[in-house]
Every structure is written in structure tokens, then in C-alpha cells.
Amino acid sequence: MGQQVGLVGLAVMGENLALNVERNGFSVAVYNRTAAKTDAFLRGRGRDRRFVGAHDAAGFVAALERPRRIVLMVKAGAPVDAMLAELRPHLEPGDVVVDGGNSHWPDTDRRIAELAPAGLSFVGMGVSGGEEGALHGPSLMPGGDPAAYAALEPILTAIAAKTESGPCVTHVGTGSAGHFVKMVHNGIEYGDMQLIAETYDLLRHVVGCSTAEIADLFAEWNRGELQSYLIEITAKVVNFRDDQGGRRPLIDRIADAAGQKGTGKWTTLAAFDLGAVVPTITAAVDARLLSAMTDLRRQAAKAFPGRIAVLRSRRRAVVEQLRAALFAAKVCSYAQGFDLLRRASAAHGYGLRLDEICRIWTGGCIIRATLLAGFRAAFQRGPALPNLLLDRDIGGAVKKRVPGLREVVALAARAGVGTPALAASLAWFDGVRRLRLPTALVQAQRDFFGAHTYERTDRPGTFHTDWSGAMMPHGPRPRR
């Protein structure tokens, strides 16, 4: 009898996930295209456990019980296609292949369609929690064929993170739903990290707090409504001392050019395509791109010198405003992400349950937070809720804290500190709540130069005006 699970790719995430699967009672066959990596794993972390290794695809597939359940933990993009091409000649109808990487969801739809004629099920599955999550319990977001999920469910529920509401895994939806949901998770993560970074920036450079004071503040906030994994690790990071010489905070030695792997950009592009508005996430992507422009920033700093205005009073009041601002902006960011998920579910037929997505994000994943319990309750009260802000409890909580967000954005502007994500959250909130926007003027302009037509508020239909007939070169035609 063969091994119960096959896992391909023995980088840190793959190794940890394999160890998690084996620890939870399943025998595992492992395969890495570099044979030395497989052998090193079996001699090291996999020693004296229920692992067998293979040095080629044929041997790997032959080591598995039928129908086979194979998890790919390889780099997204071409490496996934290359591994599928290597495995495919040895697979049989009924086998299930899971892609646990951060693949772009259109690639997942393509691979599902390519493998289906051979009777093979392809499952795109988001995995969140980083290296520790993979080892001890991640949040898992599998999509695809429900029958394929049924074959995987005993394994996935065993290895997933556990909370009071159960294992942090569910069949999120059909087709590429798993990778789309993980993409949006990462987009929200981008926004959340940027909001926290801007709050840190204001605390340190405008309020004038030391890194020790900031660490204490984040630790305090993590005991209340802002409790989350990202707030928790921020409290640990900001005052961590450099162990490579000196006792300065390590954060002062870290280059400020942030990296990214593409999921934030994909989220923004998907939002554009679906008519969703995710300005907090987009601002976070922009902020990372701007951070990489180090030469430009160096030149601009010389061309436009100026000191940041540091507060000399009201520090306690501003700290409280910052706490309120971070809460309100975070809710706005999540609301934007869930709106994108709602639109994608309708457009792609995913069948997403937003309350279940909230539930599986309460443990294991990077954006786990106390807020998600309230979001889940909101979607349970109103499964067709158009936006989180329209829930009575969520909207009421934001309304109380928006004045703090407004004061913080104004303070940052006066101090000369950019807060793109905080400002984007506020602008989105103010735009959503306006009954009439200045885009009426945009429509008039479009009709003027391109005859694009417009609609009226007082009668049905589309209209076009000969604007030039009523205009002179320097203003309206004078009356006679």
C-alpha cells in the first residue's frame, strides 16, 4: 500500500507542510527536482518518520496510494507548469493535484481546463501563515471541484490551524476561487501593513515617541480591539535591538525599500477589471514601489528640504487619535477587500461565503485579527450585505472613530509626512458616503470633448449637448 499524500517541493514551506501532514497521522512521499535536497530532508528533519523519498516523477507517483493526492509547493508561474508536465504522464483519472503556491488565479483556471479531459482534478489552494503556520497550522483556502475537496478534507482539516469555530479551512468555492481568495487576503495584508507602518511613522517622527514607547503602545493596542497578528509582531519588531553591533533599534539599520511578489498588484488589477474600488490596497502597492525609488528620493530630499514638524503638546490626545484612525482605516481596507470578493464571486461563479472566509482567517493566517469575528457576524446577519460599512455594528464603530482618522490625516499633512494608506481609507469613506460626487463635471467634460453622452437626474435616457455653441474662447457668450 502506498503513501497517503505526496508533496513536491522541499523549500522551507514545503518541508514544514510535509512535517505537519506526517505529524497529523498521514504517510508522505516527498519529491524535489534536486535529489540532494530530498536526501538531506530524509536524513535530517524527516528522519525516523513516515516519509519515503523519490528521485524522479515516475518513482514519486508510483509511491502513492490511488487515487493520488499530490500537493505542489513550488514557485508560482512556469515552475508549476513544468512540474505538471513532469507528473502528468504518470497520473491516472481520479488523481488530485493541489497547487499550494501563490499562483495567479487565471493560471489556475487554465490548468483546471487543461487537466480535466484526462480526468484529473486540479485544486488551487491558498496557504497563509508563513513558515510557522505551515509547520503548526496554516489557514487553508482550497477551491476547485467539491468532489476533489472531499478527497482532501481529512488531511486539510487535520493540518489547518484550529480556533473555537473549528479548523481554519473550508471549500471556498469552485474554479480558481482558492487562489483568488488568497490573492485578496494578501492585498488586505499589504494595506494593513502599510497602515501600521504609517502609524509607526507618525508616532516616532511627529509625536516624538521612542521605539520603546511605540513597542509598549502596540503591545497595549494588541490587548484590545486592534488585536491581530500584525500588531503583535510590530510590538516585537520596532524596539528589537541590533545584534550585529551597537544597541540601536534594528529597524534603523534596515533598508526602507520594500519588496513584493505581485499579489498586491494582482489584487488592484482584478479590482479595476471588476469595477471594485480598493484604494487602501492600491496605496500600499504604490508605497512599496515608491520606496524602491531610492535615487529619486535622495535627489528630491535635496531639492525640497524641510524638517518634519514634531508635536510639543497634546501627545496623549494624538496617540488616542492614532489608535482610532488605525481602527477605522483597517476596517475600510477589509471592507474594500470583501467587496472585491463579492464582485468576483458574482462574476466568476465562485459561490463564495464571506462569513466562512472570515472564519478561516481568524487563525493561522497573516491577517488574523479580532475584527474578523465581528465581520463574520455581520455577514451572517446579512449574507447579501453590499458592504461591511452598511452593517449597523461595523458602521457604528467606524463612525465613532472617523473623527480621529480625519485629525490624523490632517496632522500628517501639516507635518509634511505622507500617509497614503490612511488618507486613501479616509477618501474612500468620504466618497462612499457622499450622495452626489463631482464626477457630474467629469461627465460634462467627456461629453464636451468626445460626445460621450451623459444621463440626467430628472429624466431617463442618454443625452448629448452641443457645448461649443454656448461657449466663447474666454468664457460664456455675453447676454444681449
Side-chain angles (χ1 to χ4, degrees), residues 111 121 140 421 471:
R111 290 162 184 152
S121 294
L140 300 171
M471 296 288 289

Side-chain angles (χ1 to χ4, degrees), residues 362-385:
T362 58
C365 74
I366 301 301
I367 64 170
R368 60 186 184 265
T370 294
L371 283 169
L372 284 159
F375 298 161
R376 182 189 181 200
F379 287 125
Q380 288 177 330
R381 285 191 294 269
L385 187 68

Side-chain angles (χ1 to χ4, degrees), residues 183 187 190 260-272 281 285 289:
M183 176 191 74
Y190 270 60
Q260 54 183 315
K261 293 186 177 179
T263 46
K265 179 185 73 174
W266 293 345
T267 304
T268 293
L269 293 175
F272 288 156
I281 296 169
V285 175
L289 293 172

